[in-house]
Amino acid sequence: MKRHGQSLITVALAAALAAFAALVDNDYYLRIVFMACVYYLCAAGVNVLVGYAGQKSLGQAGLFAAGAYTAALLTSRWQIDPWLALAAAPVVAGVFGVLIALPSLRVKGPYLAMVTLAFGIVVEKIVTEWVDLFGGPSGLFGIMPLTWGGNAFTNQQWVWFALVLCVVTQLLLRNVLDGRFGRALLSVQADEIASSSVGVRVYRAKVIAFVVAAVTCGIAGALVAQQNQYINSDFITFNLSIFILLLVLFGGAGSKAGPAVGAIALTIIDALLARWPSVQHFFYGALLLFALYFMPGGVMGLFSPRARRAADAQPQESGEPAPPAAQRPPVAAQEDLLLVVENLCKAYGGVKPAQDISFCLRRGHVHALIGPNGAGKSTLINMLSGVVIPDAGVIRFRGTDIAGERSHAICALGIGRSFQNLRLFGDLSVLDNVLLGRHSRMKNGFWASLLGLPGARAEERRAREDAYRLVRLVGLAHLAGTPAGSLPYGLQRRVELARALATEPTLLLLDEPAAGLNPQETAELGELLLRVGTSCGITLLMVEHHMDLVMAISDHVIVLDYGIKIAEGKPAQVQADKRVIEAYLGTGMA
């Protein structure tokens, strides 16, 4: 119902503006509506890049120029049909989006903004100085406009066509952002390491965001060039990049309605201040500072909380109970090796948290990895999950060497994990956190999601039902729509466990899952882990300091001390080992 309501509002607003254009003959007013549509197209794409993926860009003027000059050159120099030129503009801009993304994504924060800013400045200089191709400051004349029935578009038809493009853009982006890829972009913005650990291809997600922003800016640039039938470097100054970013921040970055609010409001303000350029630029700077410091959620943030909730209604319970706590299968039936580690090494200068570590994990067992602080336990878990690349050694999972593979690839193979320090996506709901764990298991691709095909909608529905079952399994069904970051610490641990289970792991790595829990919560966690291991057939490797938990649920214990494996075996054997006692208690106590 929420999706249909958004669609109706979008169509109703566009219809109202179309009716206004039909009733008004004043070209100035029609121009304002047309430019509001152009700015919306720019802001809608940049909202994906800035509001969802969290990548700050100041080079959108260059991408606007790519679309504008593509349409201009194809029609004025080579007499290509203007409709084909319009179709080519977003393609060329998308290619530039990839080119700017590749070097930009090697840096973060203000450095990313500087790289994109440099791109915009370089494009402006090229079109200004390359007179033979781009016409220099004089620009390009004779650009062919769009036609209908052999006649050039009137101002009213330009408004109507731009409104159609805006509606289509809004609906297509909604399809993407409400589903698998929208969640992936939000996870990248929140925590790239955690995002990769649940199967999101972080680099690819960022490139997609850059391309979406480039395509919409390219379309907007082509519309301006063809409507004006003229383009020059004055259209693509640095001020345009700032203005597009301001549209997003003022309307509300990360809000689907934010770009439309920002475009309408600032286009009207821009028209009112057009006769005073100096005041206009000062006002934009002041408004940008105001939006950043006093209204970080933008206009839309004043009407809705920043925290992102689950869809309006939680999935209907099918009446199926949570998976039962079945009896653990006999150990003799589970003797095949799942993970083999041989001579694994890692050093940070003189510090060596892993020195020729070798061990095996067997299917269906609960394994514990223990040792004093600084023994190298978390480093080992990070190497197994791809967060840290080992210096030497072999990690063979189900017969495949995965040493040095990326986290998302290891997750796809069947290794899930939790973190010592919680890495939840705090602004997302409990259900959306668990849904992100389903990312690598979902089959709907970007184009199917963009077009809202039935298969993509069905895949999203199944993933939501699976995620909700896991939320029920960890006892958080009543909190499914609550932002994960607002939960008590013990419940956040359960959310992270459910998110890891959603990746459908064969091997689950738990880095101190009982850290920060009280004795009762620790006992409940132990029961939950046993239930997960037995009912879901998952092998567990748990880093833990709570010895009562380790001894209660573990089949096999591995002990590290200063990066060296000093013992392994059954819990009782390890507990009585002299080297383990010395490592934990010292020789005097032994």
Side-chain angles (χ1 to χ4, degrees):
M1 291 301 294
K2 184 178 180 181
R3 288 172 60 89
H4 292 310
Q6 292 174 349
S7 300
L8 289 174
I9 292 173
T10 300
V11 173
L13 178 61
L17 291 174
F20 174 80
L23 297 174
V24 172
D25 291 330
N26 189 307
D27 288 343
Y28 178 71
Y29 293 146
L30 293 175
R31 174 71 178 177
I32 291 176
V33 177
F34 175 76
M35 290 308 299
C37 294
V38 168
Y39 290 140
Y40 167 77
L41 290 172
C42 294
V46 175
N47 185 44
V48 175
L49 180 64
V50 176
Y52 280 79
Q55 307 301 302
K56 303 300 185 288
S57 174
L58 293 174
Q60 300 311 119
L63 300 171
F64 184 94
Y69 277 92
T70 296
L73 290 170
L74 290 178
T75 58
S76 65
R77 295 286 177 89
W78 297 299
Q79 307 303 307
I80 301 295
D81 183 270
W83 287 100
L84 293 178
L86 177 62
V91 175
V92 173
V95 171
F96 275 95
V98 173
L99 295 178
I100 188 177
L102 295 179
S104 297
L105 297 182
R106 297 182 181 275
V107 293
K108 297 181 181 180
Y111 301 104
L112 173 62
M114 294 302 292
V115 171
T116 57
L117 172 61
F119 168 78
I121 293 175
V122 167
V123 170
E124 182 183 354
K125 290 298 181 183
I126 288 175
V127 299
T128 302
E129 303 296 335
W130 197 346
V131 177
D132 292 341
L133 182 61
F134 299 108
S138 298
L140 296 175
F141 296 86
I143 301 170
M144 297 168 60
L146 297 179
T147 59
W148 185 260
N151 298 316
F153 272 11
T154 65
N155 286 333
Q156 288 177 330
Q157 289 174 325
W158 276 111
V159 170
W160 293 336
F161 180 65
L163 285 170
V164 170
L165 288 179
C166 289
V167 171
V168 171
T169 299
Q170 170 73 8
L171 297 180
L172 292 178
L173 291 182
R174 184 205 61 187
N175 290 339
V176 172
L177 298 177
D178 280 347
R180 179 187 181 209
F181 289 93
R183 288 190 300 271
L185 293 175
L186 290 171
S187 71
V188 168
Q189 178 179 181
D191 190 325
E192 292 184 14
I193 293 177
S195 179
S196 183
S197 76
V198 296
V200 175
R201 299 174 64 179
V202 172
Y203 195 84
R204 178 171 176 262
K206 291 181 179 180
V207 171
I208 288 175
F210 266 97
V211 171
V212 169
V215 165
T216 58
C217 281
I219 295 173
L223 287 178
V224 169
Q226 291 181 308
Q227 199 264 354
N228 286 328
Q229 301 180 49
Y230 165 72
I231 191 75
N232 75 346
S233 57
D234 291 340
F235 286 82
I236 56 169
T237 63
F238 173 63
N239 292 334
L240 178 60
S241 293
I242 293 294
F243 187 73
I244 294 173
L245 182 61
L246 180 58
L247 292 172
V248 176
L249 297 179
F250 181 77
S255 166
K256 298 181 188 67
V261 172
I264 293 172
L266 292 182
T267 302
I268 294 173
I269 293 174
D270 184 65
L272 294 175
L273 298 178
R275 66 181 65 183
W276 303 292
S278 58
V279 175
Q280 190 180 44
H281 295 159
F282 173 80
F283 181 80
Y284 291 152
L287 192 60
L288 179 60
L289 292 176
F290 178 82
L292 289 173
Y293 288 99
F294 298 103
M295 202 168 55
V299 173
M300 296 306 298
L302 302 177
F303 300 98
S304 61
R306 174 65 179 141
R308 302 177 187 277
R309 298 267 179 172
D312 7 74
Q314 295 173 348
Q316 295 297 318
E317 297 190 28
S318 60
E320 300 175 3
Q327 295 296 318
R328 186 178 302 179
V331 173
Q334 303 287 340
E335 285 298 317
D336 49 325
L337 298 180
L338 178 65
L339 182 84
V340 177
V341 174
E342 298 175 353
N343 307 115
L344 201 61
C345 299
K346 184 65 183 179
Y348 298 99
V351 179
K352 299 179 179 180
Q355 303 178 50
D356 289 318
I357 298 175
S358 300
F359 61 87
C360 301
L361 302 183
R362 299 186 181 278
R363 294 179 185 272
H365 284 214
V366 177
H367 301 264
L369 181 63
I370 66 173
N373 288 330
K377 305 182 297 298
S378 292
T379 300
L380 179 57
I381 292 293
N382 287 336
M383 286 190 286
L384 297 181
S385 60
V387 175
V388 171
I389 298 177
D391 295 333
V394 174
I395 305 172
R396 192 174 295 109
F397 178 67
R398 299 165 73 176
T400 302
D401 187 5
I402 61 171
E405 289 287 343
R406 296 180 181 272
S407 293
H408 69 263
I410 291 176
C411 175
L413 290 173
I415 297 181
R417 70 160 297 173
S418 68
F419 292 87
Q420 179 180 1
N421 298 316
L422 282 170
R423 285 183 176 272
L424 290 177
F425 310 117
D427 284 345
L428 299 183
S429 70
V430 170
L431 186 60
D432 279 340
N433 267 269
V434 181
L435 267 169
L436 272 160
R438 300 292 309 157
H439 181 85
S440 62
R441 306 303 172 192
M442 298 176 69
K443 306 303 180 184
N444 51 312
F446 177 79
W447 291 107
S449 299
L450 179 69
L451 299 175
L453 299 181
R457 295 198 299 270
E459 189 73 18
E460 181 72 20
R461 191 163 50 249
R462 285 192 295 269
R464 191 167 290 272
E465 291 170 355
D466 292 340
Y468 191 64
R469 276 194 287 270
L470 287 171
V471 171
R472 290 174 56 209
L473 174 64
V474 298
L476 297 177
H478 61 295
L479 298 171
T482 304
S486 67
L487 297 179
Y489 188 82
L491 298 185
Q492 290 188 38
R493 282 285 179 189
R494 293 192 174 209
V495 176
E496 192 174 43
L497 174 61
R499 186 182 69 187
L501 291 173
T503 64
E504 295 183 5
T506 306
L507 171 63
L508 181 57
L509 310 176
L510 301 172
D511 196 352
E512 299 193 25
L517 303 185
N518 60 41
Q520 179 181 350
E521 290 172 332
T522 301
E524 292 173 351
L525 175 65
E527 295 174 0
L528 177 60
L529 293 180
L530 281 177
R531 188 162 70 248
V532 165
T534 55
S535 63
C536 303
I538 297 174
T539 302
L540 301 178
L541 175 60
M542 173 179 62
V543 173
E544 193 48 72
H545 285 294
H546 287 71
M547 289 300 102
D548 52 347
L549 177 61
V550 170
M551 298 305 164
I553 71 172
S554 299
D555 299 308
H556 183 261
V557 179
I558 303 166
V559 188
L560 298 183
D561 188 27
Y562 290 107
I564 300 173
K565 187 183 75 173
I566 61 173
E568 69 173 314
K570 293 184 180 300
Q573 295 172 340
V574 169
Q575 196 172 23
D577 191 289
K578 291 184 178 180
R579 291 171 299 177
V580 176
I581 296 173
E582 290 176 2
Y584 271 96
L585 304 178
T587 55
M589 290 294 294

